[in-house]
Amino acid sequence: MKLYCLSGHPTLPCNVLKFKSTTIMLDCGLDTTSVLNFLPLPLVHSPRLSKLPGWISKDGTINLEKVLDARELLDLSTIDVILISNYHCMMALPYITEHTGFTGTVYATEPTLQIGRLLMEEVVNFMERVPKAQSATCWKNKEIQRMLPGPLKDAVDVWTWKRCYSMQEVNSALSKVQLVGYSQKVELFGAVQVSPLSSGYSLGSSNWIIQSHHEKVSYVSGSSLLTTHPQPMDQSSLKNSDVLILTGLTQMPTANPDGMLGEFCSNLAMTIRAGGNVLVPCYSSGVIYDLLECLYQFIESASLGTTPFYFISPVANSSLEFSQIFAEWLCHNKQTKVYLPEPPFPHAELIQTNKLKHYPSIHGDFSSEFRQPCVVFTGHPSLRFGDVVHFMELWGKSSLNTIIFTEPDFSYLDALAPYQPLAMKCVYCPIDTRLNFHQVSKLLKEVQPLHVVCPEQYTQPPLTQSHRSDLMLELQPPPMPYRRCSVLNLPFRRRYERVYILPELANSLVPSEIKPGVSVATVSAVVHSKDNKHTLQSVPKPPPVAPSKKRKRVMDEPPVVLAPKPLLSGAVPLEAFLATLQKHGITEVKVEETADGHILHLQAEDTLIQLEEDGTHIVCDNNEPLRTTLRDLVLRFLQKL
Amino acid sequence: MDRECVSLLPRVCEVLAASGSSLPDDTSLEKLLDWFTGLTKAGTSLLESCPCLLEFISTVVHNTALDPSILSFTLRLTGFVAVTEVAFKVLQESSVLDLVFNLQHWQEAGLWEDPCIRIGWIQGLRTMMQHPKALSFFVQADFLQPLLQLQTDKSLFVASAANQMLAHVLLSCQSVSSVGSNDVDEEGEDVGRSGGSIADLEYSAVTVETNQDYAAVVTAISECLKKSLVPRENTQLHQSLQILKLLALLLAQTRPPLWEKLLQMVADSVDELLVAGYSQLILPLMDVILAAYSCDVNRRAPDQRVSRLLSFMLNIRKPADLIQAAAAFLRRGLHDLVHTAQSARVLLLPLDIITGLNLLTTTADEQRFLMMEQLKNKTSCISLICVCLTNTPQMTLMAADCLPCPPVLIVTAVLSLLKLCSGDSSSPSSSSSGCREVSRNVIGSSKVQKCALDALTALSGSPGVEVKLAEVFTLLVQCLDNPDSDPTVLQKSFQALVQWMSVCSDLSSITDQHRQDLLQVVRKRSCDIRWEVRDSTVEFLGRLAGVRVIQTTAEEASDASVAVLGGCCFTTPLLRAALQDTESYVRASAISALAQTLAASWQQGAALTQEQTEIVNQLLEVLSWDTEGFARRAVVRYFIAWLSSMSSHSCVQSPASSSLLMPSVRSVLSRGSADLDWEVKVHTLELAELLLDEAFSGQRGYTKGNPTQTHPYAVIPNTLHTRTHNEEDVVGVLNSLVQWGVVSALLSGLVDCDRPVALRACRLLITLREVVCPLSLGALDATAAMATVARVTCELPGCGWAREIRKMLVMKAKDANAEGGVSGGEVVNCDDCGEAGQEAASVGGQTPCVSVCEVLRSLDLDERLDVLTRSSDHVHNSPLSLLQDILTASSARSQPDTQQEVIADCY
């Protein structure tokens, strides 16, 4: 069993597991941090942005780094299935399904598919709506890249950067998704069974169990034990794994989500009270639901009742509405609300009371209804594209305004770089609800996997805080670390295969006890293998002679069935054997001890008997009667089956 | 003793002796005993006043079929009866005593199994044993062995009572034998410690034989102590624990000959116990050693054995026990150079290890190693560090030569620990891997953080730590800014900050950057999502305004709020925003913080700003509309603070501020006295009292609310002499009091259904009456003297409290008319009252006016005060009512029919 690691990013994993003749891709996250090397894409031409010192507008379009550059490592067309753990970890899907010859199936839960689609749609929309002046690709050439300024010169693997996919590609990719529900078991070619488990991180997020009859691999990616909106994490099903692949821990181990949420609210209230606006660059699904819920409770006590909240995204409406209809994927509290019936999330009420308004973009209705001071939630968190670019230009100059970063995926300083100098206040409250090291070590103690495989980043403290030995995984035995492009041989204890015996065949067996409690029987049968299922069937009886010679076919020739020879077991005891030989008149025996047993030299007969652990040889030239005698003597000491 | 009670007692005794189960409730017997305790303490001889008790005891004690609780009660009662020698004799002669305390009697009846009998037996004996006769009774009856057995009784209460009893016996024997052996030289010194009445009794009757008996008792007890001190197996730990408790009691109270003897007897066993090292016994063992030691230190040169034991304790190998022992020693507050220094070193060791600061110049490597190993375990690390931190403030108060390092270094260590808690890397200890393993245990531990902040707060007073102010300030602001700090940590950080600023009044080391950071964090926390945090922030703002500091040497003193936060222009808007908070606690805190913030400007008599006017209006709105009592109470307190700061200040009230103050006070009085919350009403009355004080200070006959408050030698304010005693003045003052609504507030308070309100109002009305129209003046004098004052009237509106007052006036008038013929001397007064009453009654719906004086004189205020002073349950709690209850319950029981009705169908 092998694991091919195609991504070095611990929270945007992409691994391929070869297991029992299946090739399974686990997630395909898209690392988009390379967009930070580019200029923001304003909706309308911005003279300031196009003349930034030290920045040169090159391509006009954002490129996204694709996670895998690993064609040498693995032929992606051989992948049988792709298992998706959550909507953030599927953003590279079109790149894999569309241009690699992929013919397999993608498995994901319904919310993952739907919200994943929204997120992709949003990115495509952000990209496509901006007019591009020119497009160039020559700079990706290594020779030319060397001459480029600034961080671009040093960016690695630029040639792997790809254009953003189109909506058509997205649709085509998503058409290959097959929906699954939690704990639903999906057979893959009869060889393994895969099944998603709730991971508690986001709507429909899942961990995966991949198991054969004798082996169990757990894939834990992006899980959370906090009580936010999704269904709680299913921990018990992870027990007794041979291997647990652990990815997607929190990116902010030192930032406690509760504290950050409090920080978010107080900074928001502080800005609004002082008459400023708040900008929250965020994804259009996920943490935003929790933020809105928290604000729903907070606005009363902070007397923010009259402040408008705007959510601007091409998919804002769908995101808010989808969240309300996936009741079965929500935590218990929210599920029970549905029976009342009430909307599970309180943002429904915020919308109803006009406190929260959502718009597909800043054009149209929004521009006429916009009131300040206000709070705006909009994408993209990288500040390179989407409506957030507009608000940065609009509000960046006033120190009354505040930008609050809640997504942990991008360095906020890098994100802000093209907007400097900035008068606006910046607050960094990354909210990452995924497992932290404390929680994960508790979890692993509970589920006790035999081996843990994880990104190498988890096996040492963060570089910036090398003294924090509490911010790493400490396990016994130590976890197997992987990095990008590594191929791991996963250790397994057992190497068995399950084979079925048909009842009539089983009935015909004659077991004999070779030692107390252990019986053995010989089986003569035909192995029938289909879909990785092996069945022993009785040897078919020779068919009656065909009445007509005309219809006889070669294939119907019955196999020649011989009565099976009895199998021998046991060992030949030396002393007793010598005594027997003597009884039969063979006295001159020279015994020689070897590494495996003994060699008896019958000097008079010029014959050798080799007694070894797994065989006995009688070397006796031209004396068939003696050989037969000796053979029978040996057989006396052995059991027959 | 109440005659009525005495007359009821025989019947109660009958009831109890007949059947104990018909008691009104299970506390009745305890209440009866409480009553007897009170009587005994007051010196009443129970047997003389209630001879029926003797018969009761002798009846009950023979009837073992009775409820065990009655029997236990009887045992204890016997103790009370036999507390005097005379009664003891009577009981003994009637042979009741022998039977009551006869163990065999109870065992044969199968009652000894019941713990309430056992505890009754012990307590009865214990109460009785106040005189030598009882003691010899105890000795002769050979009760010592059973008592020793009871010491390990499975009932904790019995075991503890037995322990107390044993100590009592031993101390009694000591006193008696010391008298017998004429060893009285210690008497003078030990009066304080020997406690109890034993020392005062006379022992002339003690004979040599009994003396020997007592010696035998002492020997038996000490033998037992010696024998059972060291547990033979783990199951005997409980016994050792009991013995240790007893020993600690004894060593703290006994005097030399016995003390020496006890110590000598148990010294070896204690040694053995120390070596055995049972962790559960460390604290009680330390108690014993410290009891011995503190006795010893107070008396004369320390005993070598005790000193050695103590040194042993402070060098135990188990780190957790060691820390406990050291902490116990420090808590005792003994002044012993060597051991105090040793304890301090022990307690500083974990801090030294975890912070990597060299607090201790030398430590035994082994001790350090053991401690380090212990600290690597997270749970014990946190608890050890917390014990150390709790004791650090005490350490810094010790003499400098006891401390291994200056207090400044300890402050540094605490700061460094706090940094570790927040995951900060700048600690020097990060180099060694052992320390890293230790320090990671405290990362994010809010328990350690809280302890450290408490320690830091307490350390602010240590000598020479002022230089750390800037560092402390920075760290506390970081704590306050940390998103992960929990509300208690934030609250403690705020408290520490205030404390440090108030102690280190020189804030010159605080830079502008510091101020900016604090401003930012306060602003943020005042918007926090948790109300507790908003509350502590608001509180902090208020407390800071009360701290006087010197900002730089050149400037004069100002309050810390001004010095650090820039004063009102920053704090007032925040506090006004907090007035809108959804949580009533925060609103209340904001109101009191506003009062504290504005106090300075009030005292300086500064003119009111527009903002202050708005605040007053806002507060009056809160008083009218706020749904929670806390906020409304705070509003009244705000005006109390304002009014008192204006009146206490010698400068003339600025007309601008009083033009706003007095009308607002008037609204507060009218709204406050109509409030639903009794505390608001009480506060309102306090405001009224302030106005009375202000109006009448120096007036003849006027005593401030609580006369005991004024010291006999206190300087009498000038106003006393400047004020004239002119009646016209009184009229003027009274008129203004009526106008401000003080009189209405007092009258409405008087008829309030909440007792504290009515009581306070009544007292104030009496005070007012004494100034305006004292009852002491004869009726005729009064008429003449009050001719003008009586003209001052107040309105009685037609509803609520006023109706009550009117009713009272009418009643009074009727009474007066009825008595009119008999006592002619009061005609004038009564007629007036009658008029007032009738007038009030006749006008009905409108708002008639009545003369204040007449109202005050007619309301029977003194009688009312008398009623109000008694607690509302005084009737139910009296012994008489108890006895009556018992009788009623028994009669109810004897009439099953009625009882059936009482037990209603619960379903």
Side-chain angles (χ1 to χ4, degrees), chain A residues 277-291:
Chain A
N277 301 292
V278 178
L279 179 61
V280 187
C282 61
Y283 293 118
S284 49
S285 177
V287 173
I288 188 172
Y289 304 139
D290 298 318
L291 289 181

Side-chain angles (χ1 to χ4, degrees), chain A residues 20 190-191 213 497-502 526-537:
Chain A
K20 289 265 171 196
H213 295 300
E497 193 66 69
R498 181 171 291 189
V499 179
Y500 296 92
I501 301 183
L502 290 183
V526 175
V527 179
H528 182 87
S529 288
K530 188 185 174 190
D531 283 350
N532 289 306
K533 268 209 178 97
H534 314 292
T535 316
L536 290 182
Q537 297 176 341

